[in-house]
Amino acid sequence: MTGIVFAKLSRPKKRAEILMFSKNACICKQDGDMCLLFRVGDMRKSHIVEAYISDLLIKKKITKEGEVLPLYQFDVDVGYYEGQDRLFLVWPVIIVHKINEDSPFWEMSPEDLHKEQFEFIVILEGIVESTGMTTQARSSYLPGEILWGHRFERLVTFQKENGQYEIDYSRFNNTIPVDTPQCSVKELSDSENDNDSNNDVSVHNTPKSCTDSYMYKRNNIAQTEFEFDNDFDSLNSNNYLPNNEDSETLL
């Protein structure tokens, strides 16, 4: 009877109710890349073993042949190849999805985001440490629940008095606004590529007066100051530039 009661009370469904997901997801820049963020946490002291997370986006898709797939499942990568989908839930963790060409959010701008009809589903799975049973928790975000230009507020603080970290779960869902481009990631990438190409053109089109100067090394030391004032054409280049092995002309 004791075993039956314990198994009833420690069902994976009850354990999944303690796993938390943030009320909103955020889109902002992180390490120079546009990313979609959401936060997960575990309220109990016992850990979820071998926890991992997977995401997918349910949205209408039109194939190249014109076929309409109303509930197509797009895979959303959260660092599977780097192992970032494996979680160690000792404290709340922010899950990061980098928006690239393979992401379903690649062509979405802030205006398009709220016009789209989709559901972003997140699934957290793991093994309950005390029972060894597998548990799964799910949550989802609609377009109106994704905040563009926000990031999550910090909730882990270090206490100098006792040398411990304190987690304030009252700020679990708090976000703060940050500077974020108000265009799709595709448009942002195209504009950056255009700027790079314009810079390359300006370098190749530099006036000849800016490229006539040269530098040479004397005894492995770069020489940029000349002892002559005006006409360099009258100089004998054979006498002016040393010909020993320690000299090198740099264009």
Side-chain angles (χ1 to χ4, degrees):
M1 289 298 295
T2 303
I4 294 174
V5 173
F6 178 78
K8 187 70 173 179
L9 295 177
S10 60
R11 288 183 303 172
K13 182 178 179 181
K14 295 293 183 180
R15 186 64 179 87
E17 294 176 356
I18 311 299
L19 299 174
M20 299 176 58
F21 295 89
S22 58
K23 292 182 179 179
N24 299 99
C26 302
I27 293 180
C28 64
K29 268 197 168 185
Q30 188 176 90
D31 292 331
D33 298 321
M34 291 290 289
C35 301
L36 183 142
L37 317 174
F38 62 93
R39 178 180 274 165
V40 297
D42 188 1
M43 294 288 291
R44 292 188 61 175
K45 293 183 179 179
S46 61
H47 303 314
I48 296 292
V49 181
E50 295 185 3
Y52 68 94
I53 195 160
S54 58
D55 304 342
L56 56 93
L57 186 79
I58 298 179
K59 179 186 173 184
K60 182 179 70 174
K61 177 184 178 181
I62 302 177
T63 64
K64 296 180 179 179
E65 294 76 18
E67 181 183 1
V68 178
L69 306 177
L71 298 176
Y72 186 81
Q73 298 182 7
F74 293 89
D75 181 55
V76 179
D77 182 35
V78 288
Y80 173 79
Y81 296 103
E82 295 82 11
Q84 297 178 2
D85 61 330
R86 301 287 175 174
L87 306 180
F88 185 52
L89 287 177
V90 179
W91 50 77
V93 178
I94 296 177
I95 309 301
V96 180
H97 162 62
K98 292 184 179 181
I99 303 177
N100 52 26
E101 296 180 357
D102 299 326
S103 171
F105 299 96
W106 173 250
E107 297 182 356
M108 290 189 189
S109 65
E111 294 78 11
D112 299 333
L113 181 64
H114 298 288
K115 295 178 183 178
E116 292 282 349
Q117 295 182 356
F118 65 82
E119 187 171 5
F120 176 53
I121 299 177
V122 296
I123 304 171
L124 175 62
E125 294 187 19
I127 300 174
V128 180
E129 185 179 33
S130 57
T131 63
M133 293 186 292
T134 302
T135 183
Q136 183 184 93
R138 296 180 298 272
S139 184
S140 65
Y141 301 97
L142 298 175
E145 297 173 330
I146 299 178
L147 305 178
W148 191 286
H150 284 71
R151 67 173 177 84
F152 286 102
E153 185 179 349
R154 180 181 177 184
L155 50 78
V156 180
T157 57
F158 179 74
Q159 305 297 318
K160 295 182 179 180
E161 295 79 8
N162 52 20
Q164 296 180 353
Y165 288 93
E166 183 180 86
I167 301 174
D168 185 3
Y169 278 96
S170 64
R171 296 187 288 179
F172 185 83
N173 296 307
N174 293 357
T175 63
I176 56 177
V178 292
D179 293 334
T180 306
Q182 298 298 310
C183 62
S184 67
V185 184
K186 179 181 179 181
E187 295 174 347
L188 180 63
S189 178
D190 292 341
S191 63
E192 291 177 351
N193 292 334
D194 291 340
N195 292 334
D196 293 339
S197 61
N198 292 335
N199 292 335
D200 293 339
V201 171
S202 63
V203 170
H204 290 298
N205 293 336
T206 303
K208 187 175 184 301
S209 59
C210 298
T211 59
D212 284 340
S213 59
Y214 59 88
M215 182 190 303
Y216 69 96
K217 283 186 177 181
R218 176 178 296 167
N219 296 327
N220 291 329
I221 300 176
Q223 304 292 320
T224 56
E225 296 181 359
F226 301 96
E227 298 177 356
F228 303 93
D229 293 333
N230 298 320
D231 191 8
F232 288 96
D233 295 334
S234 60
L235 299 177
N236 187 347
S237 60
N238 295 328
N239 296 330
Y240 186 73
L241 295 177
N243 294 323
N244 55 35
E245 296 180 354
D246 294 335
S247 299
E248 180 182 359
T249 301
L250 303 179
L251 298 179

